[in-house]
Amino acid sequence: MDTYIENLPKLLKDYFQVLSPEFPDFLLEYIHTPEMQKQAKISVTSGTIYSNIFDEIWYSSLDHSVAVALIIWNFTKDKKQTLSGLFHDIATPVFKHCIDFMNGDHEKQESTEELTTQIIENSKEIMALLNRDGIKLEEVCDYHIYPIADNDTPKLSSDRLEYTLSNGLGVREKLWDLETVKEIYQDIEVQKNEEGVPELGFKHKEIAEKFVHTMSKLSCIYVGNETKYSMQLIADIVKKMYEQNLITKKDLYTLSEKEVIQKIENCPIENLSNCFKKWEDATQIKESDELPKDKYAVDIKVKQRYIVPLVEENHQFVRIDTISESAKQDIHNFLNYKPKKYAYLDFNF
């Protein structure tokens, strides 16, 4: 039953060990259900890993979900909250947020979440485990009800913490090593925010500053032209194939990304497959403030992902930007980051 853990690369095993020195045994059976295993074939970076524009390591939607669950377990030791974290992306389709883009949901990126309850409810394996463990569906199908698991931007939640740590570990860009991740993680505790609600926060200002500095770099990557262009391109290719009955919505939830990529590469609409191949082979995106002629160009506003964490100061919990000029500047720099208006490559479709 520990096959999932055994097959992880050493870096991820070590990373998971940092997140929770104790791996809760009850998670393993849930991890090995078909619905969770399907997430192992979906890239957490919304498909960007398939282009030479990016230098990323493979990290699946399942890996992210397990890591979120481990963080929640580490801070709460609560089975229900931990399982809600494990299930929070169970409705994720191939290419992750690209499908939100396809649905026109660029800024919230939540258009697929409504299927979460349905997928859990329709899983015989998961429902049998929940019934055995005396847990109700409504206690695990919405992680938004648990503030340690999820909360509103720019607060620090387990989900937001996890993708910041892993993305900086090389999933998006290598910005810190495992020792730094460990230093940051071990400085975090459960605190009470301005609303009296539990929230993850830092014990020391200097560690919070270090976290925010790297977080702000990652935040710029998330809204950068390379990322926006790539996600919109995948979304538009999949949408055109769907409109031509070359792919179904069911395919997006049942096939692996590699299987969908095969469909794109073998697409009878030659221009779509050629454009995808050019994007795969590209090493950089072109940018312009003027709309380029006869090019597939992208200009979209996307979700701003950033964190202004709590930190303990004089026995009180305050936001880091109220006591640190460097953190305030890092956050300001991200919020005012404006890449050039258009991103494009030398093709059209």
Side-chain angles (χ1 to χ4, degrees), residues 5-154:
I5 301 299
E6 287 177 349
N7 291 336
L8 285 172
K10 185 179 185 304
L11 176 64
L12 295 195
K13 284 182 183 176
D14 292 344
Y15 171 56
F16 284 4
Q17 184 76 20
V18 169
L19 300 184
S20 179
E22 170 210 1
F23 196 101
D25 289 338
F26 75 89
L27 267 185
L28 289 170
E29 288 182 275
Y30 287 96
I31 288 170
H32 284 91
T33 57
E35 290 75 17
M36 289 307 304
Q37 285 298 303
K38 179 180 65 67
Q39 294 298 312
K41 298 175 181 178
I42 296 171
S43 60
V44 80
T45 58
S46 301
T48 56
I49 194 169
Y50 301 111
S51 172
N52 290 327
I53 294 165
F54 304 89
D55 181 17
E56 302 174 346
I57 62 172
W58 173 262
Y59 194 64
S60 72
S61 181
L62 176 60
D63 298 330
H64 164 66
S65 298
V66 172
V68 169
L70 291 177
I71 293 172
I72 297 170
W73 178 254
N74 182 67
F75 288 108
T76 71
K77 296 298 186 286
D78 184 292
K79 278 190 178 182
K80 295 170 186 176
Q81 293 189 51
T82 300
L83 287 171
S84 77
L86 182 70
F87 296 146
H88 82 281
D89 275 345
I90 200 169
T92 295
V94 292
F95 306 125
K96 208 167 169 67
H97 293 301
C98 292
I99 306 308
D100 290 321
F101 278 36
M102 190 178 89
N103 295 336
D105 179 23
H106 297 83
E107 294 191 58
K108 289 188 177 179
Q109 298 180 14
E110 298 172 348
S111 69
T112 63
E113 288 185 8
E114 61 192 36
L115 294 171
T116 299
T117 301
Q118 183 183 324
I119 289 172
I120 297 173
E121 194 172 29
N122 290 340
S123 168
K124 293 178 182 178
E125 291 85 354
I126 293 176
M127 290 307 298
L129 291 171
L130 291 175
N131 289 332
R132 182 200 67 189
D133 293 342
I135 298 172
K136 297 176 182 177
L137 172 65
E138 59 268 25
E139 293 176 311
V140 297
C141 66
D142 181 10
Y143 82 138
H144 299 296
I145 66 176
Y146 301 116
I148 295 300
D150 185 59
N151 50 32
D152 293 334
T153 300

Side-chain angles (χ1 to χ4, degrees), residues 1 10 21 53-54 83 156 163 169 195 208 214 234 281-282 300 309 313 317 339 341:
M1 184 54 72
K10 185 179 185 304
I53 294 165
F54 304 89
L83 287 171
L156 182 60
Y163 68 65
L169 201 53
E195 298 152 358
T214 294
I234 292 172
D281 293 340
I300 51 174
E313 178 81 352
F317 304 128
K341 185 172 175 62

Side-chain angles (χ1 to χ4, degrees), residues 281-330:
D281 293 340
T283 56
Q284 62 182 29
I285 290 290
K286 298 187 176 184
E287 301 174 285
S288 172
D289 285 323
E290 302 294 327
L291 178 62
K293 291 183 180 180
D294 302 321
K295 307 292 182 192
Y296 172 78
V298 167
D299 170 30
I300 51 174
K301 185 178 179 182
V302 297
K303 182 176 182 176
Q304 287 190 309
R305 298 177 181 271
Y306 71 106
I307 304 162
V308 185
L310 293 172
V311 64
E312 185 176 352
E313 178 81 352
N314 297 326
H315 307 292
Q316 292 183 312
F317 304 128
V318 298
R319 295 288 164 191
I320 186 64
D321 60 340
T322 65
I323 62 167
S324 167
E325 278 304 314
S326 67
K328 184 177 180 180
Q329 189 62 48
D330 283 334

